[in-house]
Amino acid sequence: MAERKTNSSNFQNQSYLENKCPLNELLFTMSRRWTTDVLFCIEEGNNRFSGIREELAYITDHILSDRLKTLEKSGLITRHQFPGMPPKVTYALTEHGVELCNLLGKLCDFSHLIYDDKAVSA
């Protein structure tokens, strides 16, 4: 995937917002396709790459790998690699990841109140 140009106004605006408030960075990270789904899969106990990929049928290996790395870098999940052949890797939520999943669950509930009502009244 191509890196963003650091001299573009889009990059500069995003950097400004992220530096202004960490919430902007979190919202940007969580808004990327599949990120919350991967997080919820790990919360539900799918802690292996293959299990997450199987549950999220349309995600590509490349995107799943990228989202796992992003979540790990953000401190929301941990990666545990076990020695042996074939190598075994598991993922787990950190304390912050658990807290974020709880908050995201509440946002999901809230979104149903807003969007389910619109569908009924339309």
Side-chain angles (χ1 to χ4, degrees):
M1 193 175 292
E3 292 293 319
R4 292 173 86 185
K5 296 180 199 173
T6 57
N7 61 348
S8 73
S9 60
N10 193 15
F11 179 85
Q12 291 170 349
N13 290 338
Q14 185 69 33
S15 296
Y16 170 77
L17 291 172
E18 289 172 2
N19 289 329
K20 185 173 183 193
C21 177
L23 177 61
N24 291 310
E25 185 173 0
L26 178 65
L27 290 174
F28 178 75
T29 300
M30 291 298 108
S31 69
R32 295 180 71 198
R33 189 177 309 164
W34 297 108
T35 302
T36 55
D37 298 280
V38 171
L39 201 59
F40 285 139
C41 279
I42 296 170
E43 179 191 35
E44 293 168 0
N46 279 330
N47 62 355
R48 303 279 311 272
F49 188 95
S50 60
I52 298 167
R53 187 181 62 218
E54 190 174 303
E55 184 169 331
L56 304 176
Y58 299 105
I59 194 169
T60 65
D61 288 355
H62 175 79
I63 294 296
L64 177 54
S65 178
D66 178 72
R67 297 313 182 255
L68 289 167
K69 288 175 186 173
T70 299
L71 290 168
E72 183 181 10
K73 184 179 174 188
S74 299
L76 298 169
I77 65 171
T78 56
R79 180 181 189 272
H80 302 284
Q81 186 166 347
F82 300 92
M85 284 310 254
K88 179 181 176 181
V89 176
T90 61
Y91 298 92
L93 295 178
T94 63
E95 190 175 312
H96 292 305
V98 171
E99 188 172 350
L100 179 60
C101 282
N102 290 333
L103 294 169
L104 289 172
K106 291 177 183 179
L107 282 173
C108 285
D109 294 342
F110 181 73
S111 68
H112 285 294
L113 292 174
I114 294 173
Y115 295 106
D116 288 349
D117 287 346
K118 283 184 180 179
V120 170
S121 64

